[in-house]
Amino acid sequence: MTYYETTRTPGRHFLQIPGPTNVPDRVLRAMDNTTMDHRGPEFGHLGARILANLRKVFQTEGPVVIYPASGTGAWEAALVNTLSPGDTVLMCRTGWFASLWKEMAERLGLVPVLIDTDWRHGADVPAIAEALNKDKAHTIKAVCVVHNETSTGCTSRVDEIRAAIDASMHPALLLVDTISSLASIDYRHDAWGVDVTVAGSQKGLMLPPGLSFNAMSAKALAAADNAKLPRSYWDWRPMLAANETGYFPYTPGTNLLYGLDAAVAMLLEEGLANVFSRHDRHAEATRRAVRGWGLEIQCAEPRHYSSSLTAVRVPDGHSADALRATILAKFNMSLGNGLGPLKDRVFRIGHLGDFGDLQLVGTLGGIEMGLRAAGIPHCGGGLQAAVDYLAGNA
Ligand SMILES: Cc1ncc(COP(=O)(O)O)c(C=O)c1O
């Protein structure tokens, strides 16, 4: 039997993992259309409109390219278009996804130098500054940072990293993964001097998985002319040439692009500032609930709190996975699991994408009931703390 034949729980499933997120009906309806000829006359208009509007979401005047791939593909594109075999890259290992990006860099023949955290903070900016200041020979070719570490719920301060690079007068490129922050948490490709931004469709952009993105600066484009890592599918140059007229060098994900067109329109209609403050407000309500339960937030630094997800530690001797299994079985809600060393130690609440107050109240209600059902020691009143906050700030 397939999964949809065995799913019998009435009511709508709550997909509260930190991506893929809930896809709005308007986006689903946009995708439910006849696939068009991607080399035909209509397609160029669609492609050109999407590529222009996407720039607003990345807060850039420069180009954005779209790959029919998951976010991992856009990670690879960022590296192979700008770097050469043996290049040193400074990588901030803030959690599971930063670790995976580092492993990819090694497999591609790059030499990562690591700046670690305890997975409870964002990137260590003074340590980045120190490494760059020491690197008088400019062997470091790029600084790589995950803006929002989805495994921990810690956000790194990209503006401060930019300031540290500038202060050291170091020429390294700045490559930033925004897979779980773009269109949820304020992110400014141009203003923060980012050279390559990596993003994915399945989180703040409210689409199913399957598209990923690179935005690039003029400096990154110049680096692409000299980069020596092998690249073919990910090569920006044929992509940018075809994008000039709204087309793609190979078959694009046509129906996902219909959805992207609708999703970007929704974000721009709401206004990016409103999108960000909605996420900030839901994140604050969630943290109040967690504190009300007497549980601990994985992120230990309030300046690094994520507005797209909250990772919650379960008390020692208790299983976060058993809690998640109980909540799924009894209340039809999926929560994110702990990754790597956080396996079974945390559960992650996704509060990003197409998400409103009542969905958050339902999510937190399901967790509160689940904590009770799974026998996790906690205080009552977490849900109430969130409701009080939302009602006072509605
Ligand atoms: C911050 C971050 N980077 C990279 C990835 C990998 O993206 P994908 O699974 O779409 O390939 C994810 C996936 O969740 C992520 O959250």
Side-chain angles (χ1 to χ4, degrees):
M1 281 219 264
T2 57
Y3 101 92
Y4 55 83
E5 286 169 318
T6 56
T7 301
R8 289 281 174 265
T9 318
R12 195 148 185 158
H13 178 68
F14 269 51
L15 182 64
Q16 296 317 134
I17 58 175
T21 60
N22 298 288
V23 179
D25 292 347
R26 181 168 158 192
V27 172
L28 288 172
R29 279 198 293 268
M31 291 190 296
D32 182 14
N33 265 300
T34 321
T35 302
M36 67 164 82
D37 174 5
H38 61 285
R39 302 194 203 281
E42 268 181 280
F43 189 89
H45 300 296
L46 174 73
R49 181 170 66 232
I50 293 172
L51 291 166
N53 282 338
L54 263 184
R55 293 178 183 205
K56 298 178 193 160
V57 178
F58 284 81
Q59 303 197 50
T60 182
E61 301 287 324
V64 179
V65 296
I66 308 171
Y67 295 105
S70 84
T72 302
W75 263 350
E76 181 159 339
L79 299 176
V80 297
N81 277 288
T82 54
L83 297 163
S84 299
D87 277 355
T88 300
V89 283
L90 191 64
M91 303 192 91
C92 305
R93 195 161 51 175
T94 46
W96 178 252
F97 290 102
S99 306
L100 293 183
W101 202 11
K102 173 244 172 196
E103 285 168 20
M104 171 188 277
E106 280 172 339
R107 283 194 295 270
L108 290 171
L110 299 168
V111 183
V113 170
L114 293 178
I115 296 188
D116 278 313
T117 68
D118 59 359
W119 290 31
R120 302 198 68 177
H121 295 78
D124 183 343
V125 181
I128 297 172
E130 193 186 335
L132 294 175
N133 282 323
K134 271 200 209 146
D135 180 36
K136 301 287 179 223
H138 295 167
T139 51
I140 296 169
K141 299 301 176 204
V143 176
C144 299
V145 61
V146 174
H147 182 214
N148 186 68
E149 187 34 90
T150 324
S151 62
T152 65
C154 298
T155 306
S156 291
R157 298 296 306 241
V158 177
D159 52 345
E160 294 177 9
I161 296 170
R162 175 75 261 163
I165 298 173
D166 290 346
S168 65
M169 298 205 289
H170 198 289
L173 296 165
L174 176 58
L175 313 187
V176 181
D177 167 342
T178 65
I179 288 176
S180 61
S181 57
L182 189 87
S184 304
I185 301 174
D186 191 11
Y187 179 78
R188 306 169 186 203
H189 177 90
D190 284 2
W192 294 346
V194 177
D195 293 300
V196 187
T197 296
V198 174
S201 56
Q202 73 272 28
K203 306 201 189 228
L205 286 175
M206 310 182 292
L207 291 163
L211 296 178
S212 57
F213 309 87
N214 278 176
M216 61 288 266
S217 68
K219 185 170 161 186
L221 288 169
D225 287 336
N226 299 315
K228 301 277 182 307
L229 279 176
R231 67 194 128 142
S232 169
Y233 183 80
W234 306 114
D235 197 335
W236 290 339
R237 292 162 299 185
M239 184 68 98
L240 289 168
N243 284 178
E244 290 276 322
T245 48
Y247 291 89
F248 289 78
Y250 40 70
T251 312
T254 312
N255 290 53
L256 280 169
L257 292 178
Y258 298 160
L260 179 60
D261 192 31
V264 170
M266 288 174 72
L267 289 167
L268 298 178
E269 283 162 19
E270 184 176 352
L272 285 185
N274 296 328
V275 171
F276 302 144
S277 60
R278 171 166 58 81
H279 283 80
D280 290 343
R281 183 164 164 277
H282 287 159
E284 176 59 27
T286 303
R287 291 190 294 269
R288 285 178 190 228
V290 175
R291 290 191 200 105
W293 293 321
L295 299 178
E296 208 182 334
I297 297 166
Q298 173 67 16
C299 181
E301 168 57 61
R303 288 182 72 246
H304 297 165
Y305 281 153
S306 166
S307 286
S308 58
L309 78 136
T310 302
V312 184
R313 296 169 71 88
V314 292
D316 286 347
H318 292 271
S319 163
D321 288 346
L323 170 67
R324 289 187 315 104
T326 300
I327 291 172
L328 179 60
K330 280 185 165 295
F331 309 119
N332 196 18
M333 175 162 67
S334 295
L335 295 169
N337 62 332
L339 294 163
L342 297 181
K343 181 172 164 42
D344 210 22
R345 304 305 316 130
V346 303
F347 64 93
R348 295 174 298 141
I349 310 168
H351 35 72
L352 73 164
D354 183 42
F355 199 55
D357 286 10
L358 294 190
Q359 287 162 287
L360 179 59
V361 169
T363 300
L364 298 174
I367 296 170
E368 190 159 309
M369 291 189 289
L371 288 167
R372 202 182 296 179
I376 307 263
H378 68 287
C379 312
L383 173 63
Q384 189 61 51
V387 168
D388 289 345
Y389 176 75
L390 291 171
N393 286 274

